Amino acid sequence: LTSRAPGVSPGFDEPSTMAVDADETYLSDLLSYSLERLNKEPEALANEETRLRDGVRDAAVRHYRAFVDAGGCYQSVRDEVRQIQRGLEAMRASLPELCAGCQRFAGRAEEISRARALNRRTLAAQGTLLDLLETPQLQETCLRHGNYDEALDLEAHVEKLAALHAADVPVVAELAEGSKRSSRVMLRQLLTRLRGAIQLPECLRIVGYLRRMSALDEVGLRRTFLRCREGHVADAVADLDDGNAYEYLKRLTDLHRVHLFDVVMQYRAIFGEGADGDEDDRGEGAEDAEGADGGLLYGWSAHRVGEYLALVEKTLPRIDEGGALASVMEHCGYCGGSLARVGLDFRPMLPPLFADAARGIFTRAMDAAAGEFERTVETHRWATAPSSAAARAKERDRDGGDGGADAAPPYALLEHVPVAALTNAILAALNDLRHCALPQLRQPLADELRACVERCAHALMRVEARRFGRGPGEEDPGAGTRAAFTGACKALAEVAAPYLEVCYGRVFRGGEKLVDVRGAVAGLKSSIVSAGLRGLG
């Protein structure tokens, strides 16, 4: 064994506390020694060392196995210490990774803790969240059952939530989008109902819903209202059966009278246009109404009245009876008077339409009468009437006075069937005309009557030239036939034409002066009665 300095423990780099205390004690003893003692101290220390060495040697001899075991134990301890030191070094090297792992674990644990807390709060508010997530479906259910107030309340609630949380919570943004889709469906449903047959209370509710939705501004709402009501009126007009022109015009007029009045009153009640004004003032001042709402109601009313008048004008030519035409004109006038209460009096626009229709009826009647007369005189067998029949006719004319001034047809026309048939046809046309004898028709229809008489006179002139104008080698048709034809010509020129002129004056007071039948039959008189048939006259 190697001796060590006092106070130094074998196998350790640093002195132990006990060695330090022993050194301090020995140093204190040295300081208390005398010089003689100090001189002997080296020798004493050498003797002590020798004694200790001998003692150690004896102990080592006696206890060598213990020393061997102690050495082995020491070596084992040193090896284990080195292993521990290497383990500590490895642990020190792995400490940063361990620290990072612990931090990751702590972060994940914190996230899990927050998620758990969130789940707990979600579980606590499960009922409320389910109600919120079912809001779009609940809106759709409300729309299917017509509960628009509840649907609008749900929409307002979702909009409020979206304003607060849509940017942070994606689910709320999805709810807002679903609510918008339901709102678009509700808008379409409301507009569809506005196109249906609804009364003022329902209109008020629908417009109130549209205002709550804020989908349209005020002007757009008015436009949409009028557009939807226009669609309803147009659909109702399209559903009418136009097979019978008379019934179609009657139903068309009733439909416009009812619907236009309802739409105007609904518009004014909903949007307040002219609500405090006088009805007469509104009827007289369409310009004031135009300024009150930007002309929307006035423009729509003018459009609808124009469409109605266009349909009337299109359908009137299909009416071929004057009585039916007069009935339709009276019905339209009643409709105009009814709509005049809301400022839509269109009665001044009716006379031109019905005047054209009446003129068409009369013109067709005149054309048919003249055509039939032309066909008849071409094939008629001219013969004198029996003497008894002629005598009775003259007697009746004598008893009745002047046939041209009397309202009844002259009996002298019975001797001449084509002229009598022509007179009857023209009288039938005048009877149809008297139901709708508009002042503006006085001159045009007088011209038509004169043209008809003139056409018939020319037909007789053509017959005379073809059948009674003898050329070289042609056979004489006979005095009786010539006399009958001459009588027919005289009946037309001197009896029927003046009588028809008087009848026209009965339809249009003073209208007989416009017909000028003398000019119409002047050619007949000169060429047939005066020249060709002078000998028979």
Side-chain angles (χ1 to χ4, degrees), residues 242-410:
D242 59 351
N244 187 319
Y246 172 73
E247 293 296 333
Y248 173 73
L249 286 176
K250 295 286 286 284
R251 290 194 296 269
L252 178 69
T253 302
D254 289 337
L255 186 146
H256 279 81
R257 176 176 57 83
V258 173
H259 286 77
L260 263 67
F261 186 86
D262 287 345
V263 172
V264 172
M265 296 306 297
Q266 289 168 357
Y267 184 91
R268 289 175 174 172
I270 293 172
F271 300 106
E273 189 275 319
D276 298 330
D278 183 71
E279 290 289 338
D280 296 335
D281 294 340
R282 290 200 302 270
E284 296 174 358
E287 295 180 357
D288 295 340
E290 182 180 358
D293 65 346
L296 294 179
L297 179 60
Y298 174 77
W300 176 82
S301 302
H303 162 74
R304 180 36 56 188
V305 170
E307 291 289 328
Y308 165 70
L309 293 177
L311 288 174
V312 171
E313 183 179 11
K314 179 182 177 181
T315 311
L316 282 178
R318 295 167 51 194
I319 297 179
D320 53 2
E321 295 181 3
L325 184 66
S327 177
V328 171
M329 183 171 66
E330 181 182 0
H331 210 66
C332 293
Y334 174 73
C335 175
S338 177
L339 293 179
R341 294 180 295 168
V342 292
L344 301 181
D345 189 1
F346 58 85
R347 286 175 292 182
M349 305 173 70
L350 293 176
L353 304 180
F354 285 90
D356 292 341
R359 181 175 181 178
I361 293 175
F362 189 76
T363 300
R364 290 192 296 271
M366 292 298 99
D367 184 69
E372 183 64 25
F373 182 80
E374 289 173 341
R375 290 188 294 271
T376 301
V377 297
E378 290 290 339
T379 60
H380 185 67
R381 297 180 60 184
W382 303 100
T384 57
S387 59
S388 58
R392 284 196 300 272
K394 291 180 180 179
E395 184 67 24
R396 287 169 182 169
D397 287 344
R398 200 165 35 247
D399 294 340
D402 186 7
D406 195 2

